[in-house]
């Protein structure tokens, strides 16, 4: 059983509230728009981190993190990318692989809109944790927590950090 904290769009912001949830997780996954690498360096000192770079991230972030991160956590295939779209409206850059080789869990960020939905066509769960940072149009900062237990994704929880 692996406890995951999923965040995105920190835009260089990390604070004690985010770190409280980092400490409660087994792994932290970041879906891009990290901003300053102090964010990921701070997380990596506490927990294992899987991340991708986003459209605002500089050359240093792009050297450290991939655009797409495909891996398995326990018996769940996972794909994290920053700009991925959502079921029925996937980004053209992911659409072909999504239909040919879909993961069980597809994660993206970018929109600053928290969204979790099941894609019946591709038989996968789509997650976007919203934005944990203070930059952007969102009113409430959000993250997701969940558990991967063998081949099951369960105990999903929305974490609202509060107003920016």
């Amino acid at each position: 059983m692996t406890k995951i904290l999923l965040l995105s769009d920190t835009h260089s912001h990390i604070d004690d509230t985010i770190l409280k949830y980092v400490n409660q997780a087994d792994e932290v996954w970041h879906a891009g728009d990290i901003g300053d690498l102090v964010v990921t360096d701070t997380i990596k000192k506490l927990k294992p981190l899987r991340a991708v770079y986003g459209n605002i991230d500089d050359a240093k972030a792009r050297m450290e993190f991939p655009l797409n991160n495909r891996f398995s956590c326990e018996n769940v295939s996972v794909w994290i990318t920053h700009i991925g779209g959502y079921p029925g409206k996937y980004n053209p850059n992911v659409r072909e692989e999504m239909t040919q080789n879909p993961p069980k869990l597809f994660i993206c960020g970018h929109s600053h809109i928290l969204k979790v939905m099941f894609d019946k066509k591709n038989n996968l769960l789509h997650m976007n944790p919203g934005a944990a940072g203070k930059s952007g149009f969102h009113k409430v900062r959000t993250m997701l927590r969940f558990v991967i237990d063998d081949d099951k994704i369960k105990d999903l929880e929305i974490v609202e950090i509060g107003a920016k």
Side-chain angles (χ1 to χ4, degrees):
M1 184 171 80
T2 308
K3 293 183 278 184
I4 308 297
L5 176 67
L6 174 61
L7 67 157
S8 186
D9 296 277
T10 48
H11 292 262
S12 302
H13 180 78
I14 187 103
D15 60 27
D16 289 341
T17 303
I18 294 171
L19 293 175
K20 176 182 92 170
Y21 288 99
V22 166
N23 280 312
Q24 294 171 9
D26 296 322
E27 291 185 15
V28 178
W29 300 351
H30 196 302
D33 277 5
I34 297 159
D36 192 318
L37 290 181
V38 167
V39 170
T40 49
D41 290 346
T42 302
I43 293 168
K44 285 191 293 187
K45 287 177 186 168
L46 301 170
K47 297 292 172 161
L49 172 71
R50 298 179 192 262
V52 296
Y53 70 79
N55 56 296
I56 68 126
D57 291 317
D58 64 12
K60 287 183 195 172
R62 291 168 191 242
M63 286 176 56
E64 184 167 346
F65 301 107
L67 173 62
N68 296 293
N69 193 347
R70 288 200 74 154
F71 59 93
S72 289
C73 179
E74 299 202 20
N75 286 310
V76 173
S77 60
V78 180
W79 181 1
I80 305 175
T81 194
H82 184 60
I83 302 175
Y86 55 92
K89 299 268 185 184
Y90 288 118
N91 183 295
N93 295 330
V94 302
R95 197 174 299 137
E96 184 177 337
E97 187 168 350
M98 186 65 69
T99 56
Q100 292 179 3
N101 185 23
K104 183 167 186 164
L105 175 58
F106 180 70
I107 295 169
C108 62
H110 186 62
S111 70
H112 293 220
I113 300 168
L114 187 145
K115 187 179 288 196
V116 177
M117 55 194 300
F118 190 74
D119 178 346
K120 291 178 187 173
K121 181 179 175 188
N122 294 305
N123 193 34
L124 63 88
L125 183 62
H126 169 273
M127 289 185 186
N128 183 326
K134 294 187 172 186
S135 176
F137 67 88
H138 58 283
K139 302 275 191 259
V140 177
R141 297 164 49 221
T142 57
M143 303 182 292
L144 292 172
R145 296 196 306 177
F146 57 95
V147 169
I148 294 182
D149 189 0
D150 189 34
D151 64 346
K152 297 188 178 31
I153 303 161
K154 63 184 194 178
D155 301 335
L156 177 65
E157 178 186 355
I158 295 169
V159 177
E160 291 187 344
I161 304 173
K164 322 192 276 184

